[in-house]
Amino acid sequence: MEVKIGAVGDGSVLELVALFQWLRSERQLAGRVHAEYRPAGPEELSSGVLDVVGIAVGSGGVAVALAQSLTAWLKSRRPAVEFTITLPDGTTHRLNVADGAAAQLSAAAPIIEEMLRQTRNGQGGVGGAGE
């Protein structure tokens, strides 16, 4: 099962890169975080642009580590960025991260709880646990 996190709006690629680096540095998530790229548009000067950060969450322990890491990362953010979180069952949630850690965490909490519930119940099938 896989959780996918994307970003929307100005500065979204930079925020997504920051999240990708943050999650890859987490020991509990080692080998489970990967980047997915989309082709660059005509105004972009690269061969591909980071589109989504994917995290394989095959067990409840990994989901807990992801939830803790994501919560800590959200606390550290200052710019207003909108993220999309696609859960293993394909459900996509939008999370608008504005200034203020309390607002960020209260907005993220239901999404993280749903992610943990789906992982515990073995729901989903988007992506593979072996990624």
Side-chain angles (χ1 to χ4, degrees), residues 81-94:
V81 176
E82 187 171 333
F83 290 93
T84 60
I85 300 176
T86 304
L87 301 177
D89 71 350
T91 304
T92 299
H93 299 273
R94 288 175 105 57

Side-chain angles (χ1 to χ4, degrees), residues 1-6 36 52-58 62-64 66-67 70 83-95 107-128:
M1 291 184 288
E2 184 173 80
V3 172
K4 293 185 179 191
I5 302 174
E36 295 181 15
V52 173
V53 174
I55 306 97
V57 289
V62 173
V64 169
L66 174 58
L70 186 56
F83 290 93
T84 60
I85 300 176
T86 304
L87 301 177
D89 71 350
T91 304
T92 299
H93 299 273
R94 288 175 105 57
L95 175 61
I111 298 168
I112 291 170
E113 288 173 15
E114 177 68 11
M115 176 185 63
L116 292 171
R117 185 189 65 73
Q118 286 186 23
T119 302
R120 276 194 301 270
N121 293 340
Q123 293 180 359
V126 178

Side-chain angles (χ1 to χ4, degrees), residues 64-78:
V64 169
L66 174 58
Q68 291 171 344
S69 184
L70 186 56
T71 300
W73 187 78
L74 287 170
K75 284 182 182 180
S76 74
R77 304 321 299 159
R78 293 292 176 250

